[in-house]
Amino acid sequence: MNRILKLQSALLRVIEEQEGKVEERDQSLDWERVHMASCARLGFLMAEEKGQDPELAACACSVHDFGRILTGKQKGHAEKGYHPVKDFLDKLELFTKEEIEIISLAVKNHSRKSKIGSWIEEIVKDADVVDCYQYGIPFVRDAQQMRYEEYIKRNQPEEEE
Ligand SMILES: [Fe+2]
């Protein structure tokens, strides 16, 4: 077995611990549970298509909203997730220092939807918007809508002449 399930099990425990801690959450804890697993699956497939590491991509997708899971708030959640997710990954002892930095940076930068980042950041951002679209979660920022449209355009089969 690879490390995705181990990471997600540990994350489910963190999510469980948040029950009742924040009075009003911008997203429910059930959404956090569903979204992390669903994004991970999308990210895994996207990485396979790009010839990148699918396990690492799925792991980054799983934890990308770590900041919002802890604070309950959407605002600034990507940046706020950076240090806590690093600690979380450190304690798991599943990843090398280098992998932890790659994942944590993808967490930190995933809200920059109009910017182009590292391959793994791009996958996290694409998986995030595709998953929100799948569940009918409205895009609140133009950059999210644009990223979704770009993704669909890129993945459309070529028209036959
Ligand atoms: Fe997300």
Coordinates of all heavy atoms in Angstrom, one line a residue, residues 39-134:
C39 N -10.5 15.3 -4.1 CA -9.4 16.0 -4.7 C -8.2 15.1 -4.9 O -7.5 15.2 -5.9 CB -8.9 17.2 -3.9 SG -9.9 18.6 -4.2
A40 N -8.0 14.2 -3.9 CA -6.8 13.3 -4.0 C -7.0 12.4 -5.2 O -6.0 12.2 -6.0 CB -6.7 12.5 -2.7
R41 N -8.2 11.9 -5.4 CA -8.4 11.0 -6.6 C -8.2 11.7 -7.9 O -7.5 11.2 -8.8 CB -9.8 10.4 -6.5 CG -9.9 9.3 -7.5 CD -11.1 8.5 -7.6 NE -12.0 8.1 -6.5 CZ -12.7 8.8 -5.7 NH1 -12.7 10.0 -5.7 NH2 -13.6 8.2 -4.9
L42 N -8.7 12.9 -8.0 CA -8.5 13.8 -9.2 C -7.1 14.0 -9.4 O -6.6 13.9 -10.5 CB -9.3 15.1 -9.1 CG -10.8 15.0 -9.1 CD1 -11.4 16.3 -8.7 CD2 -11.3 14.7 -10.5
G43 N -6.4 14.4 -8.4 CA -5.0 14.8 -8.5 C -4.1 13.6 -8.9 O -3.2 13.7 -9.6
F44 N -4.5 12.4 -8.4 CA -3.8 11.2 -8.7 C -3.8 11.0 -10.2 O -2.8 10.7 -10.9 CB -4.4 10.0 -8.0 CG -3.6 8.7 -8.1 CD1 -2.7 8.4 -7.1 CD2 -3.8 7.9 -9.2 CE1 -2.0 7.2 -7.2 CE2 -3.0 6.7 -9.3 CZ -2.2 6.3 -8.3
L45 N -5.0 11.1 -10.8 CA -5.3 10.9 -12.2 C -4.6 11.9 -13.0 O -4.0 11.7 -14.1 CB -6.8 10.8 -12.5 CG -7.5 9.6 -11.9 CD1 -9.0 9.8 -12.1 CD2 -7.0 8.3 -12.4
M46 N -4.7 13.2 -12.6 CA -4.0 14.3 -13.3 C -2.5 14.1 -13.4 O -1.9 14.3 -14.4 CB -4.3 15.6 -12.6 CG -5.8 16.1 -12.8 SD -6.1 17.6 -11.8 CE -7.8 17.9 -12.2
A47 N -1.9 13.6 -12.3 CA -0.5 13.4 -12.2 C -0.1 12.2 -13.2 O 0.9 12.3 -13.9 CB 0.0 13.1 -10.8
E48 N -0.9 11.2 -13.2 CA -0.6 10.1 -14.1 C -0.6 10.6 -15.5 O 0.3 10.2 -16.3 CB -1.7 9.0 -14.0 CG -1.8 8.3 -12.7 CD -1.2 6.9 -12.7 OE1 -0.1 6.7 -13.3 OE2 -1.9 6.0 -12.2
E49 N -1.6 11.4 -15.9 CA -1.7 11.9 -17.2 C -0.4 12.8 -17.6 O 0.0 12.8 -18.7 CB -2.9 12.8 -17.4 CG -4.1 12.0 -17.7 CD -5.4 12.7 -17.5 OE1 -5.4 14.0 -17.4 OE2 -6.5 12.1 -17.5
K50 N 0.1 13.5 -16.6 CA 1.2 14.4 -16.9 C 2.6 13.7 -16.7 O 3.6 14.3 -16.8 CB 1.2 15.6 -15.9 CG 0.1 16.6 -16.1 CD 0.3 17.8 -15.2 CE -0.8 18.8 -15.4 NZ -0.5 20.1 -14.7
G51 N 2.6 12.4 -16.3 CA 3.8 11.7 -16.1 C 4.5 12.2 -14.8 O 5.7 12.1 -14.8
Q52 N 3.8 12.7 -13.9 CA 4.3 13.1 -12.6 C 4.0 12.0 -11.5 O 3.3 11.1 -11.8 CB 3.8 14.5 -12.2 CG 4.1 15.5 -13.2 CD 5.6 16.0 -13.1 OE1 6.4 15.5 -12.4 NE2 5.9 17.0 -14.0
D53 N 4.5 12.3 -10.3 CA 4.3 11.3 -9.2 C 2.9 11.4 -8.7 O 2.5 12.4 -8.0 CB 5.3 11.7 -8.1 CG 5.2 10.8 -6.9 OD1 4.2 10.0 -6.7 OD2 6.2 10.8 -6.1
P54 N 2.0 10.4 -9.0 CA 0.6 10.4 -8.6 C 0.4 10.3 -7.0 O -0.5 11.0 -6.5 CB 0.0 9.2 -9.3 CG 1.1 8.3 -9.6 CD 2.3 9.2 -9.7
E55 N 1.3 9.6 -6.4 CA 1.1 9.5 -4.9 C 1.4 10.8 -4.2 O 0.6 11.2 -3.4 CB 2.1 8.4 -4.4 CG 1.9 8.1 -2.9 CD 3.0 7.3 -2.3 OE1 4.1 7.1 -3.0 OE2 2.9 6.8 -1.2
L56 N 2.4 11.5 -4.6 CA 2.8 12.8 -4.0 C 1.7 13.8 -4.3 O 1.3 14.6 -3.5 CB 4.1 13.3 -4.5 CG 4.8 14.3 -3.6 CD1 5.2 13.6 -2.3 CD2 6.1 14.8 -4.3
A57 N 1.2 13.8 -5.6 CA 0.1 14.7 -6.0 C -1.2 14.4 -5.1 O -1.8 15.4 -4.6 CB -0.2 14.5 -7.4
A58 N -1.5 13.2 -4.9 CA -2.7 12.8 -4.2 C -2.5 13.2 -2.7 O -3.5 13.7 -2.1 CB -3.0 11.3 -4.2
C59 N -1.3 13.1 -2.2 CA -1.0 13.5 -0.8 C -1.2 15.0 -0.6 O -1.8 15.5 0.3 CB 0.3 13.0 -0.4 SG 0.4 11.3 -0.1
A60 N -0.6 15.8 -1.6 CA -0.7 17.3 -1.5 C -2.2 17.7 -1.7 O -2.7 18.6 -0.9 CB 0.1 17.9 -2.7
C61 N -2.9 17.0 -2.5 CA -4.4 17.4 -2.7 C -5.1 17.1 -1.4 O -6.0 17.8 -1.0 CB -5.0 16.6 -3.8 SG -4.5 17.2 -5.5
S62 N -4.8 16.0 -0.7 CA -5.5 15.6 0.5 C -5.4 16.7 1.6 O -6.4 16.9 2.3 CB -4.9 14.3 1.1 OG -5.0 13.2 0.2
V63 N -4.2 17.3 1.7 CA -4.0 18.2 2.8 C -4.2 19.7 2.4 O -3.9 20.6 3.2 CB -2.7 18.0 3.5 CG1 -2.6 16.6 4.1 CG2 -1.5 18.2 2.5
H64 N -4.6 19.9 1.1 CA -4.4 21.3 0.6 C -5.2 22.3 1.5 O -4.9 23.5 1.6 CB -4.7 21.4 -0.9 CG -6.2 21.5 -1.2 ND1 -6.9 20.3 -1.3 CD2 -7.0 22.5 -1.4 CE1 -8.2 20.7 -1.6 NE2 -8.3 22.0 -1.7
D65 N -6.4 21.9 2.1 CA -7.2 22.8 2.8 C -6.9 22.7 4.3 O -7.8 23.1 5.2 CB -8.7 22.6 2.5 CG -9.1 23.3 1.2 OD1 -8.5 24.3 0.9 OD2 -10.0 22.8 0.6
F66 N -5.8 22.2 4.7 CA -5.4 22.0 6.1 C -5.7 23.3 6.9 O -6.2 23.3 8.1 CB -3.9 21.6 6.2 CG -3.6 20.9 7.5 CD1 -3.9 19.6 7.7 CD2 -3.0 21.6 8.6 CE1 -3.6 18.9 8.9 CE2 -2.7 20.9 9.8 CZ -3.0 19.6 9.9
G67 N -5.3 24.4 6.4 CA -5.5 25.7 7.1 C -7.0 26.0 7.4 O -7.3 26.5 8.5
R68 N -7.9 25.7 6.4 CA -9.3 25.9 6.7 C -9.9 24.9 7.6 O -10.8 25.1 8.4 CB -10.1 25.9 5.3 CG -11.5 26.4 5.5 CD -12.3 26.4 4.2 NE -12.4 25.0 3.7 CZ -12.4 24.7 2.4 NH1 -12.2 25.6 1.5 NH2 -12.5 23.4 2.0
I69 N -9.3 23.7 7.6 CA -9.8 22.6 8.5 C -9.5 23.1 10.0 O -10.3 22.9 10.8 CB -9.1 21.3 8.2 CG1 -9.6 20.7 6.9 CG2 -9.2 20.3 9.4 CD1 -8.8 19.6 6.3
L70 N -8.4 23.7 10.2 CA -8.0 24.2 11.5 C -8.7 25.4 11.9 O -9.2 25.6 13.1 CB -6.5 24.4 11.6 CG -5.6 23.2 11.5 CD1 -4.1 23.6 11.7 CD2 -6.0 22.1 12.4
T71 N -8.9 26.4 11.0 CA -9.4 27.7 11.4 C -10.9 27.8 11.1 O -11.6 28.7 11.7 CB -8.7 28.9 10.6 OG1 -9.0 28.7 9.2 CG2 -7.2 28.8 10.8
G72 N -11.4 27.0 10.2 CA -12.8 27.1 9.9 C -13.1 28.2 8.9 O -14.2 28.3 8.4
K73 N -12.1 29.0 8.6 CA -12.3 30.2 7.7 C -11.6 30.0 6.4 O -10.4 29.6 6.3 CB -11.8 31.4 8.5 CG -12.4 31.7 9.8 CD -13.9 32.0 9.6 CE -14.6 31.9 11.0 NZ -16.0 31.5 10.9
Q74 N -12.3 30.5 5.4 CA -11.7 30.5 4.0 C -10.6 31.5 3.8 O -9.6 31.3 3.2 CB -12.9 30.8 3.0 CG -12.5 30.8 1.6 CD -12.3 29.4 1.0 OE1 -12.7 28.4 1.6 NE2 -11.5 29.3 -0.1
K75 N -10.8 32.7 4.5 CA -9.9 33.8 4.2 C -8.5 33.5 4.7 O -8.2 33.2 5.8 CB -10.4 35.0 5.0 CG -9.8 36.3 4.5 CD -10.6 37.5 5.0 CE -10.0 38.8 4.5 NZ -8.7 39.2 5.0
G76 N -7.6 33.6 3.7 CA -6.1 33.3 4.0 C -5.8 31.9 4.4 O -4.7 31.6 5.0
H77 N -6.7 30.9 4.1 CA -6.5 29.6 4.7 C -5.3 28.9 4.0 O -4.7 28.0 4.7 CB -7.8 28.7 4.5 CG -8.0 28.3 3.1 ND1 -8.5 29.1 2.1 CD2 -7.9 27.0 2.5 CE1 -8.6 28.4 1.0 NE2 -8.3 27.1 1.2
A78 N -5.0 29.2 2.8 CA -3.8 28.6 2.1 C -2.5 28.9 2.9 O -1.8 28.0 3.3 CB -3.8 29.0 0.7
E79 N -2.3 30.2 3.1 CA -1.1 30.6 3.8 C -1.0 30.1 5.2 O 0.0 29.7 5.7 CB -0.9 32.1 3.7 CG -0.7 32.7 2.4 CD -2.0 32.8 1.5 OE1 -3.1 32.6 2.1 OE2 -1.9 33.2 0.3
K80 N -2.2 30.2 5.8 CA -2.3 29.7 7.3 C -2.0 28.3 7.4 O -1.8 27.8 8.5 CB -3.6 30.1 7.9 CG -3.7 31.6 8.2 CD -5.1 32.0 8.7 CE -5.1 33.5 8.8 NZ -6.5 34.0 8.8
G81 N -2.2 27.5 6.3 CA -2.0 26.1 6.4 C -0.5 25.6 6.4 O -0.2 24.5 6.8
Y82 N 0.3 26.5 5.9 CA 1.7 26.2 5.6 C 2.5 25.6 6.8 O 2.9 24.4 6.8 CB 2.5 27.4 5.1 CG 3.9 27.1 4.8 CD1 4.3 26.3 3.7 CD2 4.9 27.7 5.5 CE1 5.6 26.0 3.5 CE2 6.3 27.5 5.3 CZ 6.6 26.6 4.2 OH 7.9 26.4 4.0
H83 N 2.5 26.3 7.9 CA 3.3 25.8 9.1 C 2.6 24.6 9.8 O 3.3 23.6 10.1 CB 3.6 26.9 10.1 CG 4.7 27.9 9.5 ND1 6.0 27.5 9.3 CD2 4.5 29.1 9.1 CE1 6.6 28.5 8.8 NE2 5.8 29.6 8.6
P84 N 1.3 24.7 10.0 CA 0.6 23.5 10.6 C 0.7 22.3 9.8 O 0.9 21.2 10.4 CB -0.8 24.0 10.8 CG -0.8 25.5 10.7 CD 0.4 25.8 9.9
V85 N 0.6 22.4 8.5 CA 0.7 21.1 7.7 C 2.1 20.5 7.7 O 2.3 19.3 7.7 CB 0.2 21.4 6.2 CG1 1.2 21.9 5.3 CG2 -0.4 20.1 5.7
K86 N 3.1 21.4 7.8 CA 4.5 21.0 7.9 C 4.7 20.1 9.2 O 5.2 19.0 9.2 CB 5.4 22.2 8.0 CG 6.2 22.3 6.7 CD 7.2 23.5 6.8 CE 8.4 23.1 6.1 NZ 9.4 24.2 5.9
D87 N 4.2 20.7 10.3 CA 4.2 19.9 11.6 C 3.5 18.6 11.5 O 4.0 17.6 12.0 CB 3.6 20.8 12.7 CG 4.4 21.9 13.1 OD1 5.6 22.0 12.7 OD2 3.9 22.8 13.9
F88 N 2.3 18.7 10.9 CA 1.5 17.4 10.8 C 2.3 16.4 10.0 O 2.3 15.2 10.4 CB 0.2 17.8 10.1 CG -0.7 16.7 9.6 CD1 -1.4 15.9 10.5 CD2 -0.9 16.5 8.3 CE1 -2.2 14.9 10.1 CE2 -1.7 15.4 7.8 CZ -2.3 14.6 8.7
L89 N 2.8 16.8 8.9 CA 3.5 15.8 8.0 C 4.8 15.3 8.7 O 5.2 14.1 8.5 CB 3.9 16.5 6.6 CG 2.7 16.9 5.8 CD1 3.1 17.7 4.6 CD2 1.9 15.6 5.3
D90 N 5.5 16.2 9.4 CA 6.7 15.8 10.1 C 6.4 14.7 11.1 O 7.1 13.7 11.1 CB 7.2 17.0 11.0 CG 8.4 17.7 10.3 OD1 9.1 17.0 9.5 OD2 8.6 18.9 10.5
K91 N 5.3 14.9 11.8 CA 5.0 13.9 12.9 C 4.6 12.5 12.3 O 4.7 11.5 13.0 CB 3.9 14.4 13.8 CG 4.4 15.5 14.7 CD 3.4 15.9 15.8 CE 3.8 17.1 16.5 NZ 2.9 18.3 16.3
L92 N 4.1 12.5 11.1 CA 3.6 11.3 10.5 C 4.8 10.3 10.2 O 4.6 9.1 10.1 CB 2.8 11.6 9.2 CG 1.4 12.1 9.3 CD1 0.8 12.3 7.9 CD2 0.6 11.2 10.2
E93 N 5.9 10.9 9.9 CA 7.1 10.1 9.5 C 6.9 9.3 8.3 O 7.3 8.1 8.2 CB 7.6 9.3 10.7 CG 8.0 10.2 11.9 CD 8.6 9.4 13.1 OE1 8.4 8.1 13.1 OE2 9.1 10.0 14.0
L94 N 6.2 9.8 7.3 CA 5.9 9.1 6.1 C 6.7 9.7 4.9 O 6.9 9.1 3.9 CB 4.4 9.2 5.7 CG 3.4 8.4 6.6 CD1 2.0 8.8 6.1 CD2 3.6 6.9 6.5
F95 N 7.1 11.0 5.1 CA 7.7 11.7 4.0 C 9.1 12.2 4.3 O 9.4 12.5 5.5 CB 6.8 12.9 3.7 CG 5.4 12.5 3.3 CD1 4.4 12.6 4.3 CD2 5.1 12.1 2.0 CE1 3.1 12.2 4.0 CE2 3.8 11.8 1.7 CZ 2.8 11.8 2.7
T96 N 9.9 12.4 3.3 CA 11.2 13.0 3.5 C 11.1 14.5 3.6 O 10.0 15.1 3.3 CB 12.1 12.8 2.2 OG1 11.5 13.5 1.1 CG2 12.2 11.3 1.8
K97 N 12.1 15.2 4.1 CA 12.1 16.6 4.3 C 11.7 17.3 3.0 O 11.0 18.3 3.0 CB 13.5 17.1 4.8 CG 13.8 16.7 6.2 CD 13.4 17.9 7.2 CE 13.5 17.5 8.6 NZ 12.3 17.4 9.4
E98 N 12.3 16.8 2.0 CA 12.1 17.4 0.7 C 10.6 17.3 0.2 O 10.0 18.3 -0.2 CB 13.0 16.8 -0.4 CG 13.2 17.6 -1.6 CD 13.9 16.8 -2.7 OE1 14.3 15.7 -2.5 OE2 14.0 17.4 -3.8
E99 N 10.1 16.1 0.4 CA 8.6 15.9 0.1 C 7.7 16.8 0.9 O 6.7 17.3 0.4 CB 8.3 14.4 0.3 CG 8.9 13.5 -0.8 CD 8.7 12.0 -0.4 OE1 8.6 11.7 0.8 OE2 8.6 11.2 -1.3
I100 N 8.1 16.9 2.2 CA 7.3 17.8 3.1 C 7.3 19.2 2.6 O 6.2 19.9 2.6 CB 7.8 17.7 4.6 CG1 7.5 16.3 5.1 CG2 7.2 18.7 5.5 CD1 8.1 16.0 6.5
E101 N 8.4 19.7 2.2 CA 8.5 21.1 1.7 C 7.7 21.2 0.4 O 7.0 22.2 0.2 CB 10.0 21.4 1.4 CG 10.2 22.9 1.1 CD 9.7 23.9 2.2 OE1 9.8 23.5 3.4 OE2 9.3 25.0 1.9
I102 N 7.8 20.2 -0.5 CA 7.0 20.3 -1.7 C 5.5 20.3 -1.5 O 4.8 21.2 -2.0 CB 7.4 19.1 -2.6 CG1 8.8 19.2 -3.2 CG2 6.4 19.0 -3.8 CD1 9.3 17.9 -3.8
I103 N 5.0 19.5 -0.6 CA 3.6 19.4 -0.3 C 3.2 20.7 0.4 O 2.1 21.3 0.1 CB 3.3 18.2 0.6 CG1 3.5 16.9 -0.1 CG2 1.8 18.2 1.1 CD1 3.4 15.6 0.7
S104 N 4.0 21.1 1.4 CA 3.6 22.3 2.2 C 3.5 23.6 1.3 O 2.7 24.4 1.5 CB 4.6 22.6 3.3 OG 4.7 21.4 4.1
L105 N 4.5 23.7 0.4 CA 4.4 24.8 -0.5 C 3.2 24.8 -1.4 O 2.6 25.8 -1.7 CB 5.7 24.8 -1.4 CG 6.9 25.6 -0.8 CD1 8.1 25.4 -1.8 CD2 6.6 27.0 -0.5
A106 N 2.8 23.6 -1.8 CA 1.6 23.5 -2.7 C 0.4 23.9 -1.9 O -0.6 24.5 -2.4 CB 1.4 22.0 -3.2
V107 N 0.4 23.6 -0.6 CA -0.7 24.0 0.3 C -0.7 25.5 0.4 O -1.8 26.2 0.2 CB -0.5 23.4 1.7 CG1 -1.5 24.0 2.7 CG2 -0.7 21.9 1.7
K108 N 0.4 26.1 0.6 CA 0.6 27.6 0.8 C 0.1 28.3 -0.5 O -0.5 29.4 -0.4 CB 2.0 27.9 1.1 CG 2.3 29.3 1.4 CD 3.8 29.5 1.7 CE 4.2 30.9 2.0 NZ 5.6 31.1 2.0
N109 N 0.4 27.8 -1.6 CA 0.2 28.5 -2.9 C -1.1 28.2 -3.6 O -1.3 28.7 -4.7 CB 1.4 28.3 -3.8 CG 2.7 28.9 -3.3 OD1 2.6 29.9 -2.5 ND2 3.8 28.3 -3.6
H110 N -1.9 27.3 -3.1 CA -3.0 26.8 -3.9 C -4.1 27.8 -4.1 O -5.0 27.6 -5.0 CB -3.6 25.5 -3.3 CG -4.6 25.6 -2.2 ND1 -4.3 25.7 -0.9 CD2 -6.0 25.8 -2.3 CE1 -5.5 25.8 -0.2 NE2 -6.5 25.9 -1.1
S111 N -4.2 28.9 -3.4 CA -5.2 29.9 -3.6 C -4.8 30.8 -4.8 O -5.7 31.6 -5.3 CB -5.5 30.7 -2.4 OG -6.2 29.9 -1.5
R112 N -3.6 30.8 -5.2 CA -3.2 31.7 -6.3 C -3.6 31.0 -7.7 O -2.8 30.6 -8.5 CB -1.7 31.8 -6.3 CG -1.2 32.5 -5.0 CD 0.3 32.5 -5.0 NE 0.8 33.0 -3.7 CZ 2.1 33.1 -3.3 NH1 3.0 32.8 -4.2 NH2 2.4 33.5 -2.1
K113 N -4.9 31.1 -7.9 CA -5.5 30.3 -9.0 C -5.1 30.9 -10.4 O -5.2 30.2 -11.3 CB -7.0 30.2 -8.8 CG -7.5 29.4 -7.6 CD -7.3 27.9 -7.8 CE -8.1 27.1 -6.7 NZ -7.5 27.1 -5.4
S114 N -4.8 32.2 -10.4 CA -4.5 32.7 -11.7 C -3.0 32.7 -12.0 O -2.5 33.0 -13.1 CB -5.0 34.2 -11.8 OG -4.3 34.9 -10.8
K115 N -2.2 32.2 -11.0 CA -0.7 32.1 -11.3 C -0.4 30.6 -11.7 O -1.0 29.7 -11.3 CB 0.0 32.4 -10.0 CG -0.3 33.8 -9.4 CD 0.9 34.7 -9.6 CE 0.6 36.2 -9.5 NZ -0.2 36.6 -8.4
I116 N 0.7 30.5 -12.4 CA 1.2 29.2 -12.7 C 2.4 28.9 -11.8 O 3.3 29.6 -11.7 CB 1.7 29.1 -14.2 CG1 0.6 29.6 -15.2 CG2 2.2 27.7 -14.6 CD1 -0.6 28.7 -15.3
G117 N 2.3 27.7 -11.1 CA 3.3 27.3 -10.2 C 3.9 26.0 -10.6 O 3.9 25.7 -11.7
S118 N 4.5 25.3 -9.6 CA 5.2 24.0 -9.8 C 4.1 23.0 -10.3 O 2.9 23.3 -10.2 CB 5.8 23.5 -8.5 OG 4.8 23.2 -7.6
W119 N 4.6 21.9 -10.9 CA 3.6 20.9 -11.4 C 2.6 20.5 -10.4 O 1.4 20.3 -10.6 CB 4.4 19.7 -12.0 CG 5.0 18.8 -11.0 CD1 6.3 18.9 -10.5 CD2 4.4 17.7 -10.2 NE1 6.6 17.9 -9.6 CE2 5.4 17.2 -9.4 CE3 3.2 17.2 -10.2 CZ2 5.2 16.1 -8.5 CZ3 2.9 16.1 -9.3 CH2 3.9 15.6 -8.5
I120 N 3.1 20.3 -9.1 CA 2.2 19.8 -8.1 C 1.2 20.9 -7.6 O 0.0 20.6 -7.4 CB 3.0 19.2 -6.9 CG1 2.1 18.3 -6.1 CG2 3.6 20.3 -6.0 CD1 2.9 17.3 -5.2
E121 N 1.7 22.2 -7.6 CA 0.7 23.3 -7.3 C -0.4 23.4 -8.4 O -1.5 23.6 -8.0 CB 1.5 24.6 -7.3 CG 2.4 24.7 -6.0 CD 3.3 26.0 -6.1 OE1 3.0 26.9 -6.8 OE2 4.3 25.9 -5.4
E122 N 0.0 23.2 -9.6 CA -0.9 23.3 -10.7 C -2.0 22.1 -10.5 O -3.2 22.4 -10.8 CB -0.2 23.2 -12.1 CG 0.5 24.4 -12.4 CD -0.4 25.7 -12.3 OE1 -1.3 25.8 -13.1 OE2 -0.1 26.5 -11.4
I123 N -1.5 21.0 -10.2 CA -2.5 19.8 -10.0 C -3.4 20.1 -8.8 O -4.6 19.9 -8.9 CB -1.7 18.5 -9.8 CG1 -1.2 18.1 -11.2 CG2 -2.6 17.4 -9.3 CD1 -0.3 16.8 -11.2
V124 N -2.9 20.6 -7.7 CA -3.7 20.9 -6.6 C -4.8 21.9 -6.9 O -6.0 21.8 -6.6 CB -2.9 21.4 -5.4 CG1 -3.8 21.9 -4.2 CG2 -2.0 20.3 -4.8
K125 N -4.4 23.0 -7.7 CA -5.3 24.0 -8.0 C -6.4 23.5 -9.0 O -7.6 23.8 -8.9 CB -4.6 25.2 -8.6 CG -3.8 25.9 -7.6 CD -3.1 27.2 -8.1 CE -1.8 27.0 -8.7 NZ -1.0 28.2 -9.0
D126 N -6.0 22.7 -10.0 CA -6.9 22.2 -10.9 C -7.9 21.2 -10.2 O -9.1 21.3 -10.4 CB -6.2 21.4 -12.1 CG -5.6 22.4 -13.1 OD1 -5.8 23.6 -13.0 OD2 -4.8 21.9 -13.9
A127 N -7.4 20.3 -9.4 CA -8.2 19.3 -8.7 C -9.2 20.0 -7.8 O -10.4 19.7 -7.7 CB -7.3 18.4 -7.9
D128 N -8.7 21.1 -7.2 CA -9.6 21.9 -6.3 C -10.8 22.4 -7.0 O -12.0 22.2 -6.6 CB -8.8 23.0 -5.7 CG -9.4 23.6 -4.4 OD1 -10.4 23.1 -3.9 OD2 -8.9 24.7 -4.0
V129 N -10.6 23.1 -8.1 CA -11.7 23.7 -8.8 C -12.6 22.7 -9.5 O -13.8 22.8 -9.5 CB -11.3 24.8 -9.9 CG1 -10.6 26.0 -9.1 CG2 -10.4 24.3 -10.9
V130 N -12.0 21.6 -10.0 CA -12.8 20.6 -10.7 C -13.7 19.9 -9.6 O -14.9 19.6 -9.8 CB -11.9 19.5 -11.4 CG1 -12.8 18.4 -11.9 CG2 -11.2 20.2 -12.6
D131 N -13.1 19.7 -8.4 CA -13.9 19.1 -7.4 C -15.0 20.0 -6.9 O -16.2 19.5 -6.7 CB -13.0 18.7 -6.2 CG -13.7 17.7 -5.3 OD1 -14.2 16.6 -5.8 OD2 -13.8 17.9 -4.1
C132 N -14.8 21.2 -6.7 CA -15.8 22.2 -6.3 C -16.9 22.2 -7.4 O -18.1 22.2 -7.0 CB -15.2 23.6 -6.1 SG -14.3 23.7 -4.6
Y133 N -16.5 22.2 -8.6 CA -17.5 22.2 -9.7 C -18.4 21.0 -9.6 O -19.6 21.0 -9.8 CB -16.8 22.3 -11.0 CG -17.8 22.4 -12.2 CD1 -18.3 23.6 -12.5 CD2 -18.2 21.3 -12.9 CE1 -19.3 23.7 -13.6 CE2 -19.1 21.4 -13.9 CZ -19.7 22.6 -14.3 OH -20.6 22.7 -15.3
Q134 N -17.7 19.8 -9.4 CA -18.4 18.5 -9.4 C -19.5 18.5 -8.3 O -20.6 18.0 -8.5 CB -17.4 17.4 -9.1 CG -18.0 16.1 -8.8 CD -17.0 15.0 -8.6 OE1 -17.1 13.9 -9.2 NE2 -16.0 15.3 -7.8

